[in-house]
Amino acid sequence: MTVHLVLHALQTLPPSNINRDDLGTPKSAVYGGVPRARVSSQAWKRAMREHFTAAGLIPEQDLAVRTRQGIGLLADAIRPLRPDLSEEDASQLAERVLVFATGAATDTAAARRKTLVGAAPATRETLFLGRRQIERLAKLAADGADDITAFLKKKDNATGVRTAAASRDAVDIALFGRMVAAEDDLSLDAAVQVAHALAVHHTPVETDFFAAVDDLAADTGAGIIGRSEFLAPTLYRHAVLTGPDLEKNLADYAGAMDLTQVTAAFIRAFAESMPTGHITSYAHTTRPTLLLATVTGQPVNLIGAFETPITPDTDHGGHLPAAARRLADHHHALTTAYGDPTARSWLLTLNPEATAPLHQAATVTASLTELADAAAAELTERTRATTPTAGQGQR
C-alpha cells in the first residue's frame, strides 16, 4: 500500500476576483445544484510555486521556470562560459541545443515580447525547465560551440544533451510534474494532486461600478468609468501528495533538501500562498481558518460534505461554523466506513470553538510550522517503510 499526505482547508476570502475567466468574471461551478465560486487548481499551483521563492521555502536554484523564453534563458547562461561569442551567436547556439534537446519548435512568426532574458526566438511550446538543467545544457553548448553540428552528431554528446534536458533536478518539477508533447522522455507524472477550490455555499457574483477621477480636470466628471465583478466565498481546498512518487521524482535532485523538508515546504506553500488576480483592488490575502493534514494510505476528497450548500449560521454568524461541523461529520462518516486505521491527522485552527468537532479526529497544533513538521516527518517515515530502498540516494 502506498502512502499519501492529504490536506483539507476551509478558507474565507473577502470580496475578490482571484481567478477569472476570459470575460473577466470570477470562475464558478455548479455543484449540488447551485453555482459556487471556484478557483482553478492551475491558479493555486502557480501561486504555490511562486511562494516557494517569495517565502524562501526552497532555494531558487532548486526550482524551475515555466516559459516560452527558454532559448533566451539558455543563451544568457552560455555567455559567461563563452564570452567570445556575440549575443546573436549565443542565441543561435542556444536555439540549436534547446530544439535538439526538447523537440520544441521556434515561433518565428511571433512578435518579440519584453522578457527578463536576452533577445532570442520564443518556442511554440511552454517548457518547464529546471535551473540546473539550463546550467548543464549551457556547459554542453559551450563545449560544442565551435561546431555545434559536429558536436551533436557524436553519440555521447547527443546523449549527454538529451540526458541533461530530461533531468528532474527541480523540486517543483518533482512535485507538479511536467508534460512536453514534443518529447515524451521529458514528461513526468506529478506527485501532487490539487483540487479546484470550491465554495461551500451558494455564491452570487456581485458587480462593482467604479469611476476614476481626473485629478487635473477642471470639471467634476469622471475620467473613466467601468464595472468589475467579484464574490466573497468560504472555500473548501484539497490537495494530495504521494510520498513514494515524490521520492522517485526527486531521484535526480542534487540540492540539499530531503523528502521531509520538501514535504514541509509544500504544506506551508499550500497554506500560505494566494493567487494574485486583482490583488491591488481587493487586498484579499487570507489564511485558512482550518487546516487538516492526514497521512494515510487512502486519500479522500471531502467535498461531498458540501454537496448540500451551507447556509449562514444564525447563532454564530457566517458560513464557517456550519462548514466546520459538516466537514467533521463527513470526515467521521467516511473514516468509519472506509478509513485507514493507521492514519494520523493534525489540525491547525484559528477558531477552536467552531472547529471543535474535528479535535477528536486529529492532534491540534499551535502553529503551521508544528503541523508541517509533524506531517512531513510521518510521511517520510511511512514512505521509507513502504519503499525501504527509495531513500538510499537521498541526502
Side-chain angles (χ1 to χ4, degrees), residues 349-393:
T349 175
L350 303 183
N351 190 336
E353 181 181 358
T355 60
L358 275 167
H359 295 187
Q360 294 181 349
T363 300
V364 179
T365 58
S367 68
L368 176 59
T369 298
E370 182 183 347
L371 180 146
D373 289 348
E378 179 73 12
L379 181 74
T380 297
E381 181 179 346
R382 290 182 58 172
T383 295
R384 299 284 165 79
T386 303
T387 53
T389 62
Q392 291 181 359

Side-chain angles (χ1 to χ4, degrees), residues 50-236:
E50 291 180 327
H51 193 72
F52 287 146
T53 301
L57 297 176
I58 297 174
E60 187 174 8
Q61 192 62 21
D62 291 358
L63 296 170
V65 58
R66 190 186 304 277
T67 184
R68 293 178 61 205
Q69 311 303 321
I71 294 171
L73 189 65
L74 180 56
D76 285 354
I78 291 171
R79 289 188 195 103
L81 302 177
R82 290 297 300 262
D84 55 308
L85 296 177
S86 67
E87 182 175 343
E88 183 176 355
D89 287 342
S91 176
Q92 291 176 352
L93 176 62
E95 182 177 354
R96 285 290 309 277
V97 170
L98 194 68
V99 169
F100 179 85
T102 66
T106 55
D107 193 358
T108 55
R112 297 247 175 128
R113 300 178 61 184
K114 291 183 179 179
T115 70
L116 300 178
V117 295
T123 57
R124 292 181 182 175
E125 300 86 352
T126 299
L127 300 174
F128 200 16
L129 301 168
R131 295 188 182 277
R132 286 198 183 88
Q133 287 178 274
I134 292 295
E135 288 182 356
R136 294 189 184 105
L137 287 172
K139 186 178 185 308
L140 289 165
D143 291 344
D146 294 334
D147 189 345
I148 192 61
T149 299
F151 181 83
L152 292 175
K153 284 183 177 179
K154 293 184 178 180
K155 183 177 180 180
D156 288 348
N157 295 335
T159 300
V161 168
R162 291 199 171 99
T163 299
S167 168
R168 306 167 180 180
D169 194 7
V171 171
D172 45 355
I173 290 177
L175 286 167
F176 300 117
R178 175 173 61 190
M179 196 280 286
V180 181
E183 183 57 67
D184 286 344
D185 289 344
L186 302 184
S187 296
L188 180 70
D189 290 337
V192 166
Q193 308 165 34
V194 180
H196 289 227
L198 199 64
V200 302
H201 54 90
H202 172 247
T203 320
V205 175
E206 301 182 65
T207 301
D208 176 37
F209 169 82
F210 63 87
V213 177
D214 186 333
D215 292 340
L216 300 182
D219 57 51
T220 58
I224 185 175
I225 59 174
R227 293 178 180 272
S228 63
E229 294 180 316
F230 66 91
L231 31 69
T234 294
L235 300 170
Y236 168 74

